[in-house]
């Protein structure tokens, strides 16, 4: 293996440490405590785990954490009314509605009812538009985490050829916008892309956000390229015992690591950065709301 392993777990711990320092300073110098409200509708087990760890880490960096757990059959009107209350609450600087929502709730309507300045997931249509036009916005957490790791590894990304595999609204598209913002030459690939292997082989930076286990093998990777693997896929692992599973990315780690210059592992790569960036976004939202300087290095 020749690639440098980009340790997302360590990087995320560093980001959380920086956030905690800023939070301590905000409290000491301005008497302000950033607050994050997470709204969970229903009992999806994976969502419950995410919400718990978000709450725990929010408290660990010194922020106020508020959790609203609503029944699966909560009406849209009740959910919108809660969001409205949180929009009006001056002690709450970030609002996150855990997705997916139960089928009877209109996700777009709910997300677009969040005050864009408190939309720490960066999914509100205003933030999407601001990011797309290169203006100050709230940036989706996973792509922001990828950008931070890339900037840390490369310094400047200017002029690099970047290929983003996947065009979802939460990862692929905002990732491409961020790379464009850092002056990469960006290609967005998707399920209809012809000769995907050839497209990926041109890239100095590959960001894979597909959701197909180990889809990209090492011979798709240009020697020395940086591979950011966003995919999280659970596959059977009979070698670990009957019924056992393990997590893999969208890239075949071993073969990609042979040729890449740097690579993020799965798990322990992009995943931990997502919550760290949620905290960074909450801090950014709080700083902006109070007319204070934004935390350096923690925004796009
Ligand atoms: P989506 O399912 O919304 O999007 C997947 C994208 O991959 C689509 O644009 C699709 O193309 C494209 N795609 C599917 N098959 C192929 C193929 N054969 N070749 C090329 N492109 C293909 O997924 P998400 O963006 O939400 O998530 C992607 C992965 O990232 C998942 O594994 C998810 O678990 C993980 N993830 C990880 C996070 C983290 O914190 N680390 C956070 C969010 C997601 P098309 O549009 O044409 O259908």
């Amino acid at each position: 293996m020749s690639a440098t392993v980009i340790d997302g777990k360590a990087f995320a711990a560093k980001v959380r440490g920086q956030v905690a320092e800023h939070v301590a300073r905000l409290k000491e110098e301005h008497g302000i405590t950033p607050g994050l409200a997470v709204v969970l509708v229903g009992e999806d087990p994976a969502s419950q785990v995410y919400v718990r760890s978000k709450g725990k880490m929010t408290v660990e960096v010194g922020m106020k954490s508020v959790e609203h757990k609503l029944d699966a059959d909560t009406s849209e009107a009740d959910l919108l009314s809660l969001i409205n209350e949180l929009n009006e609450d001056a002690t709450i600087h970030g609002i996150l509605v855990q997705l997916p929502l139960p089928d009877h709730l209109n996700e777009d309507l709910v997300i677009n009812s969040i005050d864009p300045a408190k939309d720490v997931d960066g999914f509100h249509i205003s933030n999407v538009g601001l990011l797309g036009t290169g203006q100050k916005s709230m940036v989706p957490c996973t792509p922001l985490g990828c950008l931070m790791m890339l900037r840390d590894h490369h310094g400047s990304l200017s002029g690099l050829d970047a290929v983003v595999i996947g065009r979802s609204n939460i990862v692929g598209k905002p990732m491409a916008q961020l790379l464009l913002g850092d002056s990469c030459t960006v290609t967005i690939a998707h399920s209809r892309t012809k000769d995907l292997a050839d497209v990926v082989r041109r890239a100095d930076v590959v960001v894979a956000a597909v959701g197909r286990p180990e889809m990209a093998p090492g011979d798709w990777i240009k020697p020395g390229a940086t591979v950011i693997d966003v995919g999280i896929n659970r596959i059977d692992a009979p070698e670990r015992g009957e019924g056992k599973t393990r997590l893999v990315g969208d890239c075949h780690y071993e073969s990609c690591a042979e040729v890449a210059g740097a690579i993020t592992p799965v798990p322990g790569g992009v995943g931990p950065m997502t919550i760290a960036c949620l905290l960074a976004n909450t801090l950014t939202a709080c700083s902006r709301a109070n007319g204070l300087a934004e935390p350096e290095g923690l925004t796009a």
Side-chain angles (χ1 to χ4, degrees):
M1 188 171 85
S2 62
T4 300
V5 178
I6 300 177
D7 183 346
K9 213 171 153 189
F11 200 101
K14 190 173 121 189
V15 170
R16 290 197 307 273
Q18 289 169 335
V19 171
E21 278 173 28
H22 282 282
V23 170
R25 222 172 301 139
L26 272 179
K27 283 184 186 172
E28 204 179 296
E29 294 172 11
H30 303 279
I32 301 165
T33 302
L36 173 64
V38 176
V39 180
L40 173 64
V41 187
E43 267 127 42
D44 177 59
S47 294
Q48 284 179 330
V49 173
Y50 289 139
V51 168
R52 247 199 318 276
S53 62
K54 281 168 187 168
K56 186 169 161 270
M57 290 191 188
T58 305
V59 172
E60 275 171 12
V61 296
M63 293 183 184
K64 167 177 158 171
S65 167
V66 177
E67 282 174 27
H68 289 273
K69 293 186 176 158
L70 308 182
D71 292 338
D73 60 0
T74 297
S75 71
E76 202 161 82
D78 285 349
L79 178 57
L80 293 177
S81 149
L82 170 62
I83 291 173
N84 195 40
E85 268 172 44
L86 296 170
N87 284 342
E88 300 295 320
D89 185 340
T91 69
I92 295 297
H93 305 93
I95 303 170
L96 180 148
V97 176
Q98 185 67 43
L99 302 178
L101 288 172
D103 288 346
H104 68 284
L105 300 170
N106 179 336
E107 253 175 36
D108 287 339
L109 181 74
V110 170
I111 295 304
N112 290 326
S113 73
I114 298 172
D115 177 348
K118 296 189 179 189
D119 167 40
V120 281
D121 249 345
F123 296 159
H124 190 290
I125 195 71
S126 298
N127 283 316
V128 175
L130 289 167
L131 178 62
T133 49
Q135 300 180 67
K136 199 179 272 191
S137 64
M138 296 305 305
V139 175
C141 303
T142 301
L144 178 58
C146 296
L147 182 75
M148 281 185 190
M149 290 195 286
L150 283 167
R151 282 178 175 168
D152 183 69
H153 183 72
H154 284 270
S156 168
L157 301 175
S158 179
L160 295 180
D161 277 318
V163 171
V164 179
I165 321 176
R167 56 175 163 179
S168 73
N169 290 335
I170 63 167
V171 190
K173 283 182 198 153
M175 187 73 244
Q177 296 286 5
L178 289 172
L179 291 167
L180 196 57
D182 270 28
S183 299
C184 290
T185 302
V186 183
T187 303
I188 307 177
H190 45 77
S191 67
R192 306 295 175 90
T193 297
K194 285 186 201 152
D195 302 323
L196 181 61
D198 284 347
V199 171
V200 175
R201 266 186 214 114
R202 294 203 298 260
D204 304 306
V205 169
V206 180
V207 180
V210 180
R212 292 172 69 95
E214 302 180 318
M215 182 188 83
D219 69 0
W220 287 17
I221 305 299
K222 175 173 162 179
T226 301
V227 176
I228 304 289
D229 194 347
V230 182
I232 303 177
N233 310 287
R234 190 165 284 287
I235 60 165
D236 292 336
E239 71 282 3
R240 294 185 177 181
E242 207 186 307
K244 296 283 183 198
T245 59
R246 66 190 175 98
L247 293 179
V248 296
D250 291 337
C251 300
H252 183 266
Y253 185 77
E254 287 75 18
S255 61
C256 288
E258 290 289 332
V259 258
I263 188 166
T264 58
V266 178
V270 176
M273 285 300 286
T274 299
I275 296 186
C277 287
L278 172 68
L279 303 174
N281 275 350
T282 305
L283 174 65
T284 299
C286 177
S287 305
R288 287 179 186 166
N290 288 284
L292 300 168
E294 289 178 17
E296 219 171 290
L298 297 175
T299 57

